[in-house]
Amino acid sequence: MILKCSRPEECAELLKAIAEENRIKILRLLLKGDNYVNNIAEELKMKQYHVSRHLTVLKKAGLVQALSEGKRV
């Protein structure tokens, strides 16, 4: 994946998204392959709510994307 930020504001938002320890852990886990929120939460010993919030930030920054599989996302 190649990330581009053409304006300083875009670069700052991208850096803010990955500047949190738990988000880095989530990204490292996702580099191994697709995963569900509940699996990520269990693996990292976090609440699903917190994982979802972190994933939302990462998604807005363009670092992750959601895939639908039946009722699961």
Side-chain angles (χ1 to χ4, degrees):
M1 174 195 311
I2 297 175
L3 300 173
K4 296 180 183 179
C5 54
S6 57
R7 297 178 303 151
E9 300 85 20
E10 291 173 334
C11 296
E13 287 303 314
L14 178 65
L15 291 171
K16 284 180 194 176
I18 59 173
E20 207 280 330
E21 180 182 348
N22 287 317
R23 291 188 201 124
I24 293 171
K25 290 177 183 178
I26 291 168
L27 286 171
R28 290 183 70 192
L29 188 60
L30 291 174
L31 284 172
K32 297 176 185 176
D34 296 344
N35 215 329
Y36 297 109
V37 174
N38 59 331
N39 294 343
I40 295 169
E42 186 177 314
E43 178 80 23
L44 299 179
K45 295 175 179 48
M46 296 173 62
K47 294 185 181 209
Q48 287 185 21
Y49 171 80
H50 294 288
V51 172
S52 292
R53 297 276 306 218
H54 288 305
L55 286 170
T56 298
V57 172
L58 294 171
K59 185 177 176 184
K60 285 181 182 178
L63 295 167
V64 299
Q65 63 184 26
L67 301 173
S68 295
E69 194 174 282
K71 292 184 179 181
R72 298 179 115 182
V73 179

